[in-house]
Amino acid sequence: MIHILGNVEKWKCEYKKCGAKCCAEGIHLTLGDIKRIKDLGYSPDKFLDFNELNNELRIKGKDGKCYFLGSKLECTIRENEPLECRLLPFKIVEVSYSDEPIMRLKPVVDCPGEGQGKKIDRKKIESDASSFLRENQKLIRDLKAKGKKQVLKEI
């Protein structure tokens, strides 16, 4: 179940106005995200970081920003960006897995693109959020069943 906590009618990413604030290091990755990025020719050991504390796969940082942030603040993998990035202008504030997986999203605070651009496609946001939940749940299961070393080896 996806809960969107707050309403944004229109949005356009104005990354140059905010200095690509959302493109920070540590963006959460699913196995599907990693496959899409690998298919572009990137080696996981270059961009992938494993957060031991939370058992999460994340994008490495480069000067405090996302590894894939270009010199002009553009996303260098835009058409293959991680699911977490596709949720913008919403950010994940909570994910829980019980009988039914739940994700809570809220709008990014002080985003200069809010109210501009195209109308938000809530169905697309919900679809990407559901994919994130499904893929992340599979990763959690794989980590428990196979262990970190084997999961990373399979990537």
Side-chain angles (χ1 to χ4, degrees):
M1 179 172 290
I2 310 303
H3 297 282
I4 298 177
L5 313 171
N7 191 27
V8 175
E9 289 295 320
K10 293 177 167 183
W11 180 73
K12 178 182 176 187
C13 184
E14 295 283 358
Y15 59 92
K16 289 186 179 183
K17 289 183 180 177
C18 71
K21 187 166 52 174
C22 293
C23 302
E25 63 184 309
I27 293 167
H28 195 135
L29 294 169
T30 66
L31 293 174
D33 293 331
I34 295 165
K35 182 186 180 325
R36 284 189 300 278
I37 295 168
K38 272 182 60 180
D39 288 349
L40 295 173
Y42 291 96
S43 174
D45 63 313
K46 297 286 185 192
F47 69 86
L48 187 62
D49 193 22
F50 186 78
N51 181 318
E52 297 282 345
L53 183 63
N54 299 323
N55 280 340
E56 295 172 336
L57 297 169
R58 297 192 172 265
I59 292 179
K60 284 183 180 178
K62 184 172 60 177
D63 300 324
K65 293 290 190 178
C66 174
Y67 179 83
F68 298 106
L69 188 65
S71 61
K72 296 179 182 172
L73 302 179
E74 80 284 4
C75 178
T76 60
I77 58 169
R78 174 61 69 202
E79 299 303 314
N80 295 282
E81 65 192 353
L83 286 167
E84 183 172 329
C85 299
R86 294 177 190 192
L87 297 175
L88 289 169
F90 301 99
K91 67 178 182 174
I92 300 169
V93 291
E94 181 186 358
V95 173
S96 64
Y97 297 96
S98 53
D99 293 338
E100 181 181 4
I102 297 172
M103 177 184 281
R104 296 186 200 300
L105 302 169
K106 74 176 193 178
V108 174
V109 178
D110 298 327
C111 179
E114 187 175 340
Q116 300 180 38
K118 294 181 181 178
K119 184 176 170 120
I120 296 289
D121 184 347
R122 291 178 77 86
K123 293 222 182 286
K124 173 108 175 68
I125 295 285
E126 290 171 359
S127 173
D128 288 337
S130 294
S131 294
F132 179 96
L133 284 172
R134 207 173 30 260
E135 291 180 24
N136 196 52
Q137 193 168 31
K138 181 185 180 327
L139 173 62
I140 292 167
R141 278 193 219 113
D142 286 354
L143 285 168
K144 284 181 182 175
K146 301 174 184 179
K148 172 190 129 183
K149 193 173 188 175
Q150 183 62 33
V151 169
L152 293 176
K153 184 178 177 183
E154 291 173 3
I155 292 171

